Each structure stands twice: as structure tokens, then as C-alpha cells.
């Protein structure tokens, strides 16, 4: 009996290694597996959409485009001089290669071009995307519309707690929470307010680098912020995210969001 219990305990501690690294989006529309890079880029697209106060349909178009162009990866190159998640070309006036390899800036440029298209919200997705991208085969974007809707549902916060990520302990990095929050505010915009220390971190220092409570102006924005934090947790060494009665922990990331009655409804706690 003791052997069985001990064996179970050992197996339980080994779970993160057995699961490897990855992310998953699960909504009423379906499930989509993503790797850590894809998930981080997907949450960034939603963040920039929030900063620009764009409707969910704009995010759907961006997701379908990014899936077709790069599988939502920040590619160093591509066809001719195309680079980045949207495979934008410096020679076509999109910007410098360095800026186009920055997911925040590349997404911002995509949305800036999209909103200049008259009635883009009423157009077929592939038509709107093609008017932005001007690719060889504009109809290819249409095949990714349903996946784009699924990602938008999750990362814009319409369905809460629908994105989870996991990675083994040996893939953790040293905590860089202040950098994570600065990058989060760069993506979502400076109107995203941060305070702290929160009641969940009593005794923390009062300097800004100890602040960990990201104020949510709406439930949807709160879940978009929480999803961004989870998808960037491995890069920035984040270990716990709490929001609206839910809790994600890096050492149990594969379990997703669990109940936490102390998690506040007005702030996303990033630890």
C-alpha cells in the first residue's frame, strides 16, 4: 500500500514533465492546441485590439490572417522580404524588419491598415484580409475563419478561463514580473492601470516593481489580461495568475484554471 501511495506521489510530481510544454484554447466552439509561442502571439493580437478599442470581428480577421501567413509564429523571414507574424514586407512600406518582427508593432500595423478599409466589418473575411495583405491567393484566408473565431472568443475574454498553458519546471525562468507588466501595458496600452501590493501579497514592498494587481475595466478585459499573463508566464517566470474566482499555477498549468474564492473580480493578480 505504501508503495502504491509513494508511486502515485512520484507520478503526480512528474506530471509537468510528462505533459511537456504547450497551451490549449477550449471554448464552446471547440478546442485548439497551440505551442507557447503561438499562444503568446495570439494573446498579443487580442491585447492590441483592446488598445485600439476594436470589435471582436477585427480580431477574428487578424487571427485568420496570422494563421494563414505564419501559423501565428513570429517568423524571421519568408517569401522575398516578408517577415513576422503577418509576413509584412518592408519593401511594400510596412516598416523596418526589426519592427515587423515585434508582434505588438506588427499587429498594430495590421489593424491600422484594416480599419482604413471601408466597411471592413461587413465584408467577407477573406476579402477584408486580402485588401490588407494583397497576397497571391486572397481566398486562402477564408479557410481559417472558424479557428479565428475560436481564438477571438478565448483571447478577447468573451468566454472566461478558456486558455491554459503548461511547461515543466526545468523550463521555468527567473521571475521578471516588472518586465512582464511593462510589456503587457505596451500591448494593451497605458490606460491599463497597475497597483499593489495586493491583499494576496501582504508584506510585499511598496515600490512599483512589487505591484502585481492589474486593474480590469471590464470582465472581458480582465480575462484578456489574465490570458496574456498565462501565455507569457514561461518567458517572464510568472508562477500564479488570479482573477474572478479562478487561479492558474505554473506548476499545475495543465490543470488549467481552478476555483479560488479569494481571487478578486476587479484586478488580475500577477505573481
Amino acid at each position: 500500500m505504501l508503495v502504491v501511495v509513494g508511486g502515485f506521489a512520484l507520478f503526480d510530481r512528474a506530471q509537468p514533465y510528462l505533459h511537456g510544454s504547450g497551451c490549449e484554447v477550449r471554448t464552446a466552439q471547440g478546442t485548439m492546441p497551440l505551442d507557447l509561442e503561438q499562444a503568446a502571439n495570439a494573446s498579443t493580437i487580442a491585447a492590441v485590439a483592446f488598445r485600439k478599442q476594436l470589435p471582436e470581428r477585427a480580431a477574428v480577421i487578424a487571427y485568420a490572417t496570422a494563421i494563414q501567413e505564419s501559423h501565428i509564429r513570429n517568423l524571421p523571414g519568408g517569401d522575398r522580404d516578408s517577415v513576422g507574424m503577418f509576413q509584412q514586407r518592408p519593401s511594400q512600406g510596412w516598416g523596418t524588419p526589426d519592427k515587423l518582427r515585434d508582434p505588438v508593432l506588427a499587429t498594430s500595423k495590421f489593424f491600422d491598415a484594416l480599419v482604413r478599409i471601408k466597411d471592413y466589418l461587413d465584408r467577407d473575411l477573406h476579402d477584408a484580409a486580402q485588401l490588407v495583405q494583397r497576397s497571391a491567393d486572397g481566398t486562402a484566408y477564408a479557410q481559417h475563419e472558424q479557428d479565428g473565431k475560436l481564438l477571438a472568443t478565448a483571447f478577447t475574454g468573451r468566454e472566461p478561463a478558456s486558455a491554459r498553458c503548461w511547461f515543466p519546471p526545468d523550463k521555468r525562468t527567473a521571475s521578471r514580473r516588472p518586465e512582464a507588466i511593462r510589456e503587457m501595458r505596451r500591448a494593451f496600452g497605458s490606460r491599463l492601470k497597475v497597483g499593489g501590493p495586493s491583499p494576496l501579497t501582504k508584506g510585499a514592498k511598496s515600490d512599483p516593481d512589487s505591484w502585481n494587481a492589474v486593474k480590469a475595466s471590464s470582465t472581458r478585459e480582465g480575462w484578456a489580461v489574465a490570458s496574456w499573463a498565462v501565455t507569457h508566464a514561461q518567458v517572464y517566470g510568472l508562477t500564479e495568475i488570479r482573477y474572478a474566482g479562478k487561479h492558474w499555477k505554473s506548476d499545475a498549468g495543465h490543470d488549467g484554471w481552478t476555483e479560488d474564492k479569494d481571487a478578486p473580480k476587479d484586478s488580475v493578480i500577477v505573481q
Side-chain angles (χ1 to χ4, degrees):
M1 186 69 174
L2 289 175
V3 173
V4 173
V5 173
F8 174 80
L10 178 62
F11 177 78
D12 191 55
R13 286 195 298 271
Q15 284 294 316
Y17 292 97
L18 295 176
H19 290 308
S21 298
C23 298
E24 182 184 71
V25 170
R26 184 183 296 271
T27 74
Q29 301 171 51
T31 302
M32 180 185 295
L34 300 167
D35 62 30
L36 291 172
E37 180 192 0
Q38 289 172 313
N41 288 335
S43 67
T44 294
I45 288 174
V48 176
F50 267 98
R51 170 159 56 85
K52 293 180 174 293
Q53 299 181 304
L54 296 176
E56 186 175 323
R57 178 65 175 175
V60 173
I61 297 169
Y63 284 128
T65 303
I67 292 170
Q68 174 62 28
E69 296 290 356
S70 68
H71 299 290
I72 330 180
R73 291 193 170 92
N74 191 22
L75 301 180
D79 180 49
R80 287 174 280 190
D81 60 337
S82 300
V83 296
M85 185 162 48
F86 294 97
Q87 288 291 278
Q88 294 150 326
R89 297 181 60 192
S91 64
Q92 300 301 308
W94 282 100
T96 65
D98 285 346
K99 288 185 177 180
L100 298 179
R101 292 188 190 101
D102 180 329
V104 173
L105 295 180
T107 301
S108 184
K109 287 178 176 292
F110 177 87
F111 282 138
D112 288 346
L114 180 64
V115 298
R116 286 196 292 267
I117 297 171
K118 184 179 180 180
D119 301 326
Y120 78 92
L121 292 174
D122 299 321
R123 293 176 179 269
D124 290 338
L125 182 144
H126 68 272
D127 184 30
Q130 173 64 357
L131 287 171
V132 174
Q133 298 293 104
R134 302 192 180 280
S135 66
D137 181 10
T139 62
Y141 302 112
Q143 64 187 312
H144 305 298
E145 183 163 2
Q146 291 307 310
D147 285 342
K149 288 180 178 179
L150 189 155
L151 292 174
T153 296
F155 287 112
T156 67
R158 182 148 60 87
E159 286 193 26
S162 52
R164 60 176 178 148
C165 294
W166 58 91
F167 44 89
D170 64 338
K171 296 298 183 182
R172 290 178 188 163
T173 57
S175 177
R176 296 189 292 136
R177 186 181 63 201
E179 291 179 51
I181 290 178
R182 283 193 289 271
E183 180 64 12
M184 181 191 293
R185 294 187 75 231
R186 188 171 77 94
F188 280 91
S190 58
R191 66 187 180 87
L192 200 68
K193 304 303 180 184
V194 182
S198 75
L200 295 177
T201 55
K202 291 180 180 178
K205 296 179 181 179
S206 60
D207 64 275
D209 280 354
S210 75
W211 292 1
N212 64 352
V214 182
K215 306 298 182 183
S217 62
S218 67
T219 301
R220 284 191 72 162
E221 183 180 68
W223 279 113
V225 167
S227 295
W228 188 99
V230 166
T231 60
H232 288 79
Q234 193 274 332
V235 172
Y236 291 104
L238 308 178
T239 58
E240 298 182 47
I241 312 298
R242 290 181 165 97
Y243 179 60
K246 298 288 186 180
H247 186 188
W248 174 90
K249 297 179 67 174
S250 64
D251 60 2
H254 200 273
D255 295 335
W257 293 88
T258 58
E259 298 298 321
D260 180 356
K261 62 182 179 60
D262 294 322
K265 295 181 179 180
D266 61 345
S267 298
V268 180
I269 306 302
V270 180
Q271 295 177 305

